[in-house]
Amino acid sequence: GENVEQHPSTLSVQEGDSAVIKCTYSDSASNYFPWYKQELGKRPQLIIDIRSNVGEKKDQRIAVTLNKTAKHFSLHITETQPEDSAVYFCAARLSGNTPLVFGKGTRLSVIA
Amino acid sequence: SAVISQKPSRDICQRGTSLTIQCQVDSQVTMMFWYRQQPGQSLTLIATANQGSEATYESGFVIDKFPISRPNLTFSTLTVSNMSPEDSSIYLCSVKGGGGYNEQFFGPGTRLTVL
């Protein structure tokens, strides 16, 4: 089955700097890659996603890039703010009716 | 996105007892899943709840321990049976819409503590 590796496990950045989180997946047939943000005590929230036919997607300060050849995708957060502090999870899916497989998460701390 | 509710939001249970968690969605959804999230950990899939048939369980999870029902396209239950302290976790319902929509959303979770 699919396996998703996520790095780093923790990341601290100064407010205003950029943060990058990277994930790799094992099954080249995977075609959907979402990112979730989970604040303490809350449910995971979908923040951005990308399909396998797209190389990059941007939404304001966040962007995701996908390299199908290398089987890796990354989350980029620019101009980080304290409210960006949370745990971020990447995930991958093989097909529309299969469940997401999650990475182990990255705890991001933005230091004011 | 679908509005997902779970009941109970939290519970404290005694060892050896069972708890049934309910998941209700405000619209019909194609897929419903149950995940477990242990403290400080990632999301682990327990099973896919199939409407009108037996759930599909992931490796390490069995029906006798985690029976699941899905009587229709908006509702599912997960039972945690014969609980032990190792079952203390957050249990999350998750849904995916039909058609070409890929997005998968999560319920608020049920925080279970087993004494």
Coordinates of all heavy atoms in Angstrom, one line a residue, chain A residues 32 36 38 41 43-44 46 49 51 89 93 96-100 102-105 107, chain B residues 4 30-31 33 35 37 41-43 45 48 92 96 100 102-108:
Chain A
Y32 N -3.6 12.4 -5.7 CA -4.2 13.5 -5.0 C -3.5 13.7 -3.7 O -3.2 12.7 -2.9 CB -5.7 13.2 -4.7 CG -6.4 14.2 -3.8 CD1 -6.6 15.5 -4.3 CD2 -6.8 13.9 -2.6 CE1 -7.2 16.5 -3.5 CE2 -7.5 14.9 -1.8 CZ -7.6 16.2 -2.3 OH -8.2 17.1 -1.5
Y36 N -3.2 19.3 5.6 CA -4.1 19.6 6.6 C -3.3 20.4 7.7 O -2.2 20.1 8.0 CB -4.7 18.4 7.2 CG -5.7 17.7 6.3 CD1 -5.3 16.8 5.3 CD2 -7.1 17.9 6.5 CE1 -6.3 16.2 4.5 CE2 -8.0 17.3 5.7 CZ -7.6 16.5 4.7 OH -8.5 15.9 3.8
Q38 N -3.7 21.3 11.8 CA -4.4 20.9 13.0 C -3.9 21.7 14.2 O -2.7 21.6 14.6 CB -4.2 19.4 13.3 CG -5.1 18.9 14.5 CD -5.1 17.4 14.7 OE1 -4.1 16.8 14.5 NE2 -6.2 16.9 15.1
G41 N -6.2 20.6 20.0 CA -7.5 20.3 20.4 C -8.6 20.5 19.3 O -9.8 20.4 19.6
R43 N -9.9 19.7 15.1 CA -9.9 18.7 14.0 C -8.9 19.2 12.9 O -8.7 20.4 12.8 CB -11.3 18.5 13.4 CG -11.7 19.7 12.5 CD -13.2 19.6 12.0 NE -14.1 20.0 13.0 CZ -15.4 19.9 12.9 NH1 -15.9 19.3 11.8 NH2 -16.2 20.4 13.8
P44 N -8.4 18.2 12.1 CA -7.6 18.6 11.0 C -8.4 19.4 10.0 O -9.5 19.0 9.6 CB -7.1 17.3 10.4 CG -7.3 16.3 11.5 CD -8.5 16.8 12.3
L46 N -8.5 21.0 6.1 CA -7.8 21.1 4.8 C -7.4 22.5 4.4 O -8.3 23.4 4.5 CB -8.8 20.5 3.7 CG -8.4 20.5 2.3 CD1 -7.2 19.6 2.1 CD2 -9.5 20.2 1.3
D49 N -4.7 21.6 -1.6 CA -4.5 20.3 -2.1 C -4.0 20.4 -3.6 O -4.1 21.5 -4.2 CB -5.7 19.5 -2.1 CG -6.9 20.1 -2.8 OD1 -6.8 21.1 -3.4 OD2 -8.0 19.6 -2.6
R51 N -3.6 18.0 -7.4 CA -3.8 16.8 -8.1 C -2.6 16.5 -9.0 O -1.8 17.4 -9.3 CB -5.1 16.9 -9.0 CG -6.3 17.3 -8.2 CD -7.6 17.3 -9.0 NE -8.7 17.8 -8.2 CZ -9.9 17.8 -8.6 NH1 -10.3 17.2 -9.8 NH2 -10.9 18.3 -7.9
F89 N -0.1 18.2 8.4 CA -0.1 16.8 7.9 C -0.2 16.8 6.4 O -1.1 17.4 5.8 CB -1.2 15.9 8.4 CG -1.1 15.7 9.9 CD1 -1.9 16.4 10.8 CD2 -0.3 14.7 10.4 CE1 -1.8 16.2 12.2 CE2 -0.3 14.4 11.8 CZ -1.0 15.2 12.7
R93 N -3.5 9.9 -1.8 CA -4.6 9.0 -2.1 C -4.3 8.4 -3.5 O -4.0 9.1 -4.5 CB -5.9 9.7 -2.1 CG -7.1 8.9 -2.6 CD -8.3 9.7 -2.8 NE -8.9 10.2 -1.5 CZ -9.5 11.3 -1.4 NH1 -9.7 12.1 -2.5 NH2 -9.9 11.7 -0.2
G96 N -10.1 7.8 -6.3 CA -11.2 8.6 -5.6 C -11.9 7.9 -4.5 O -12.4 8.6 -3.6
N97 N -11.9 6.6 -4.5 CA -12.7 5.9 -3.4 C -11.8 5.2 -2.4 O -12.2 4.3 -1.7 CB -13.6 4.9 -4.1 CG -14.8 5.6 -4.8 OD1 -15.1 6.7 -4.4 ND2 -15.3 4.9 -5.8
T98 N -10.5 5.6 -2.4 CA -9.6 5.0 -1.4 C -9.4 6.1 -0.3 O -9.4 7.3 -0.6 CB -8.3 4.5 -2.0 OG1 -7.7 5.6 -2.6 CG2 -8.5 3.4 -3.0
P99 N -9.1 5.7 0.9 CA -8.8 6.7 1.9 C -7.5 7.3 1.8 O -6.6 6.8 1.2 CB -9.0 5.9 3.2 CG -8.6 4.5 2.8 CD -9.0 4.3 1.4
L100 N -7.3 8.5 2.5 CA -6.1 9.2 2.5 C -5.1 8.4 3.4 O -5.5 7.9 4.5 CB -6.2 10.6 3.0 CG -7.0 11.6 2.1 CD1 -7.3 12.9 2.9 CD2 -6.2 11.9 0.9
F102 N -1.7 9.3 5.6 CA -1.1 10.5 6.2 C 0.3 10.3 6.5 O 0.8 9.2 6.9 CB -1.9 10.9 7.4 CG -3.2 11.6 7.2 CD1 -4.3 10.8 7.0 CD2 -3.3 12.9 7.0 CE1 -5.6 11.4 6.7 CE2 -4.6 13.5 6.8 CZ -5.7 12.7 6.6
G103 N 1.1 11.4 6.4 CA 2.4 11.5 7.0 C 2.3 11.7 8.5 O 1.2 11.8 9.0
K104 N 3.5 11.6 9.1 CA 3.5 11.7 10.6 C 3.3 13.1 11.2 O 3.2 13.2 12.4 CB 4.8 11.0 11.1 CG 4.8 9.5 10.9 CD 6.0 8.9 11.6 CE 6.1 7.4 11.3 NZ 4.8 6.7 11.7
G105 N 3.3 14.1 10.4 CA 3.1 15.4 10.8 C 4.3 16.2 11.1 O 5.4 15.7 11.4
R107 N 5.3 19.7 13.4 CA 4.9 20.7 14.4 C 5.7 22.0 14.0 O 6.9 22.1 14.2 CB 5.2 20.3 15.8 CG 4.7 21.3 16.8 CD 4.9 20.8 18.2 NE 4.1 19.6 18.5 CZ 2.8 19.5 18.7 NH1 2.2 20.7 18.9 NH2 2.2 18.4 18.9
Chain B
I4 N -20.1 18.0 9.7 CA -20.0 16.7 10.3 C -20.1 16.9 11.8 O -19.4 17.7 12.4 CB -18.6 16.1 9.9 CG1 -18.4 16.1 8.4 CG2 -18.6 14.6 10.5 CD1 -17.0 15.7 8.1
T30 N -20.3 10.0 -0.3 CA -19.9 8.7 -0.9 C -19.2 7.8 0.1 O -19.5 6.7 0.2 CB -19.1 8.9 -2.2 OG1 -19.7 9.8 -3.1 CG2 -18.7 7.6 -2.9
M31 N -18.2 8.4 0.7 CA -17.3 7.6 1.5 C -17.2 8.2 2.9 O -17.2 9.4 3.1 CB -15.8 7.7 0.9 CG -15.7 7.3 -0.5 SD -16.1 5.6 -0.9 CE -14.8 4.8 -0.1
F33 N -15.1 7.4 6.6 CA -14.0 6.7 7.2 C -13.9 6.9 8.7 O -14.4 8.0 9.2 CB -12.6 7.2 6.6 CG -12.6 7.2 5.1 CD1 -12.8 8.3 4.4 CD2 -12.4 6.0 4.4 CE1 -12.8 8.4 3.0 CE2 -12.3 6.0 3.0 CZ -12.6 7.2 2.3
Y35 N -10.9 7.2 11.7 CA -9.5 7.3 12.0 C -9.3 7.4 13.5 O -10.2 7.8 14.3 CB -8.9 8.6 11.4 CG -8.7 8.6 9.9 CD1 -9.8 8.9 9.1 CD2 -7.5 8.4 9.4 CE1 -9.6 8.9 7.7 CE2 -7.3 8.4 8.0 CZ -8.3 8.6 7.2 OH -8.2 8.7 5.8
Q37 N -6.5 8.9 16.4 CA -5.3 9.8 16.6 C -4.9 9.7 18.0 O -5.6 10.3 18.9 CB -5.6 11.2 16.2 CG -4.4 12.1 16.2 CD -4.6 13.5 15.6 OE1 -5.7 14.1 15.8 NE2 -3.6 14.1 15.0
Q41 N 0.3 12.1 17.9 CA 0.5 11.2 16.7 C -0.3 11.6 15.5 O -1.1 12.6 15.5 CB 0.2 9.8 17.1 CG 1.0 9.2 18.3 CD 2.5 9.2 18.1 OE1 2.9 8.7 17.0 NE2 3.2 9.7 19.0
S42 N 0.0 10.9 14.4 CA -0.7 11.2 13.2 C -2.1 10.5 13.2 O -2.5 9.9 14.2 CB 0.1 10.7 12.0 OG -0.5 11.0 10.8
L43 N -2.7 10.5 12.0 CA -4.0 10.0 11.8 C -3.9 8.5 11.3 O -3.3 8.4 10.2 CB -4.9 10.8 10.9 CG -5.1 12.2 11.4 CD1 -4.9 13.3 10.4 CD2 -6.4 12.3 12.1
L45 N -5.9 5.2 9.9 CA -7.2 4.7 9.5 C -7.6 3.4 10.1 O -6.8 2.5 10.1 CB -7.1 4.5 7.9 CG -8.4 4.1 7.3 CD1 -9.5 5.1 7.3 CD2 -8.2 3.7 5.8
T48 N -12.9 1.8 6.5 CA -13.9 2.5 5.6 C -15.3 1.9 5.9 O -15.5 0.7 5.9 CB -13.5 2.2 4.2 OG1 -12.2 2.7 3.9 CG2 -14.5 2.9 3.2
L92 N -11.9 10.0 15.0 CA -12.4 11.0 14.1 C -13.1 10.3 12.9 O -12.6 9.3 12.3 CB -11.2 11.8 13.5 CG -10.5 12.6 14.5 CD1 -9.0 12.5 14.4 CD2 -10.9 14.1 14.3
K96 N -15.9 11.9 2.5 CA -15.5 12.4 1.1 C -16.7 12.5 0.3 O -17.5 11.5 0.3 CB -14.4 11.5 0.5 CG -14.1 11.9 -0.9 CD -13.2 10.8 -1.6 CE -13.0 11.1 -3.0 NZ -14.2 11.1 -3.8
G100 N -16.6 14.3 -8.8 CA -15.2 14.6 -9.0 C -14.5 15.3 -7.8 O -13.4 15.8 -7.9
N102 N -12.5 15.7 -4.6 CA -11.5 14.9 -3.9 C -11.4 15.2 -2.4 O -10.9 14.4 -1.7 CB -10.1 15.2 -4.5 CG -9.9 14.5 -5.8 OD1 -9.9 13.3 -5.9 ND2 -9.7 15.3 -6.8
E103 N -12.0 16.3 -2.0 CA -11.7 16.8 -0.6 C -12.3 15.8 0.4 O -13.4 15.3 0.2 CB -12.3 18.2 -0.4 CG -11.7 19.3 -1.2 CD -12.2 19.4 -2.6 OE1 -13.0 18.6 -3.1 OE2 -11.8 20.4 -3.3
Q104 N -11.5 15.6 1.5 CA -11.9 14.8 2.6 C -11.9 15.7 3.8 O -11.0 16.4 4.1 CB -11.0 13.6 2.7 CG -11.4 12.6 3.7 CD -10.6 11.3 3.7 OE1 -10.2 10.9 2.6 NE2 -10.3 10.7 4.8
F105 N -13.0 15.6 4.6 CA -13.2 16.5 5.7 C -13.4 15.6 7.0 O -13.8 14.5 6.9 CB -14.4 17.4 5.5 CG -14.3 18.2 4.3 CD1 -15.0 17.9 3.2 CD2 -13.5 19.4 4.3 CE1 -14.9 18.7 2.0 CE2 -13.4 20.2 3.2 CZ -14.1 19.8 2.0
F106 N -13.0 16.2 8.1 CA -13.1 15.5 9.4 C -14.1 16.1 10.3 O -14.4 17.3 10.3 CB -11.7 15.6 10.1 CG -10.7 14.8 9.4 CD1 -9.9 15.2 8.4 CD2 -10.4 13.5 9.9 CE1 -9.0 14.4 7.8 CE2 -9.5 12.6 9.3 CZ -8.8 13.1 8.2
G107 N -14.7 15.2 11.1 CA -15.6 15.6 12.2 C -14.7 16.1 13.3 O -13.5 16.1 13.3
P108 N -15.4 16.6 14.4 CA -14.7 17.3 15.5 C -13.9 16.3 16.4 O -13.1 16.7 17.2 CB -15.8 18.0 16.3 CG -17.0 17.2 15.9 CD -16.8 16.8 14.5

